[in-house]
Amino acid sequence: MVQELERLRARSPFPATAPAAYPVFYRTYSRRLEAGQRESWRQVCDRTLAGLAKLGKLTDDEQALIARMQQELKALPSGRWLWVGGTEWSEQPENFSGAYNCTSTNVTDWRAFGLMMDLAMMGCGTGAVLEPKYTEQLPVIRNQLMVTMRGGIGTTLAEQRREKTEIRVDAANNRVEIRVGDSRSGWVDSYQGLLELSADQRLSGEVAVTVDLSDVRPAGEKLKGFGGMANPVKLPHLYERCANILNKAVGRQLNSVECCLLIDEAAACVVAGNIRRSAGMRQFASDDALAAAAKDNLWQQDAEGNWRIDPERDALRMANHTRVYHHKPSKEEITDAVRKQFYSGEGAIQWAGEAERRAQGADRYGLNPCGEIIGQNFHCNLAEIHLNQIHPENLQEQADAFRAGAIAVAALLNHQFVEPRYQQSRLEDPIVGVSFTGLFDFFVHAFGVEWLEWFAAGRPDTMQGVEFKTKEAEYLSRWKQIVHETVWDYCDRHGIKRPNRCTTVQPAGTKSLLSGASSGWHPPKAQRFIRRITFRKNDPVAMACIDYGYSVVPSQSDKDENGNLLTDPFDPRCSEWLVELPVEVSWANLPGADRVAIEQFSALAQFDFYMQVQRHYTAHNTSATVELREQEVEPLAERIHQAIQHDEGYISAALLARFDDLQTFPRLPFEPIDKATYDALCQQVLARRSTENFHTALQRYDSGELVEAGPAGCDSDKCLLPEKQPD
């Protein structure tokens, strides 16, 4: 057995064109085994397939297909399933949600708030619909909560800690004691319980609330089952911050932004200390002026001219904000939204009419954090096809990959959720999502440099352009048909209601790195670039990266007393590391490819390609980040308006200002470089490399428990970029 493991480790499971694969895999998807070592890729494949086979009652042929496609990096299950699939933890009904990247919840009651904190603690992305028709079902706030903290975290001996939260109400004296339990449900029940006290009719006026945290395990203790370590650093502040929000609404109902803040304060507590961002989507009514301006002037300047984030609204950064239009927005409305997104990154719009048409039901327009799934009170499971690993002429391998992805997502339809609203949604509107990544790479290999040059020219409808678009549509439509037929066949055989939409495109930022694919449908940042991945300082995986020859620099947030970026990763003032990886796309050396400036692709060309995917492949929505320059604001707004007016299939897309000056954001996640620089950096990596076996290098530093616990719910380009404070 030992020899077999060594043989597997010696043969890299990842392609040479994916230098980020090892760091990402061991940071994000590899669990720690009982003996202490980390899982290999083969072991992750075996664990996750065993979980799918058991849950989905898969046939031997289905298992063999999924196994081959996963080991060849052609079809992978969701990031959440790579982390929890096949574990004992994932088989407990209360933990089923932890297998899903994507969720959305209508905020109609206090339980909705608790559910979203619970989902966030399991690593799910949380969408929240905060339109008046939902939030007006919340009760009026009647009580002023005066919170006092008691009992230090971790003061109760481990064997004496209570797992369940206890809430004792002394109505006669207007007093409440909340003793927080040492468990996920303990945190959630204490948070939801505090919110419920604000409208509790047994109480009145000022209510003295004592919160006791002595049973909560301290930072650094292992979280059994799910993985990772406890980090309750922000928990003591959660109750006070929530009480302050609630107290401002005494005598009335909460407004949409207050609801949003309550959700995001819990999210900030959950991700405290983690290096990844929270994954959230908050949807507001298009005419909600308060919500539209919620993040305006988030940065504020003090008397000395120093910038800081408004502390009362800081938590709003936990999620993307979207305005929902139930009427087709005017050209002026869209132009204002596009312009606002260019300058602030906020102001995205959604055309709900198209979402409801695709979902075949009223109110089914809720979005997950990256916007690729539509529904109502839903969970959606995702699989991902790595098109860059499949030859464009090999139609059988394409069919096998999409069939494997379809079976993998269909298997999770067997889950029966504990929460009634999610189970009801599953019964009425079962949904799955088979995505792909590396589409741009696939088409370059399929059509050659001429396709690249046509893209750079704006994808015009010339004779050649029409031919290219026809061929693109043929591929996309064929894949869509394979997915739906496979899912429907599985459902028919297992007595499950057929989903009416099964295809989507997710951002795919992290999983794409396992095979070196360009993310989702998007073009890569350049033919060659430096990819920077964030780790904690002294993280074992990052230390192994150093031995493997990769360079490490301090993060964008680590600066000296004069505001200059630190240069020494071992400087005591440094808190986070960026591992730098030179990357070259698989087609970079095709004759003529270097003549095409990918970073100059127009916003309209990107939008046209995105709409090809939206029309011919995607049945849900396509997660899209269209990059634009200031002069492109009005032309892009005109094109979006046209797409909505003519019912071309547009639902929503994220827009991101394109920065040609790399100094605007130093040490970006992506930094384009030329071939000479790439070759030089690769030589430097090889010169520094002290081992050819990454797993062996990792073992030198790998001790203790993983700080992270699987992938984040969203990793779009918009979420990867650092926030820019005002100039």
Side-chain angles (χ1 to χ4, degrees), residues 636-692:
L636 181 59
E638 168 64 32
R639 182 66 188 92
I640 294 174
H641 178 255
Q642 181 185 51
I644 294 176
Q645 289 298 314
H646 296 167
D647 296 319
E648 295 179 35
Y650 179 85
I651 296 176
S652 66
L655 308 180
L656 184 65
R658 190 189 287 277
F659 297 103
D660 297 311
D661 180 7
L662 293 177
Q663 297 308 309
T664 305
F665 285 128
R667 299 176 184 171
L668 281 167
F670 304 91
E671 180 182 331
I673 55 177
D674 58 25
K675 179 172 173 53
T677 302
Y678 170 78
D679 290 339
L681 289 174
C682 288
Q683 287 299 317
Q684 293 168 22
V685 169
L686 293 175
R688 290 190 298 261
R689 184 168 292 172
S690 60
T691 178
E692 294 298 325

Side-chain angles (χ1 to χ4, degrees), residues 587-603:
W587 45 267
N589 294 307
L590 290 177
D594 276 338
R595 295 197 303 268
V596 179
I598 295 172
E599 64 277 7
Q600 297 297 323
F601 284 167
S602 70

Side-chain angles (χ1 to χ4, degrees), residues 149-156 212-216:
M149 305 305 299
R150 184 182 70 195
I153 290 174
T155 54
T156 302
D212 190 333
L213 298 176
S214 56
D215 285 339
V216 176

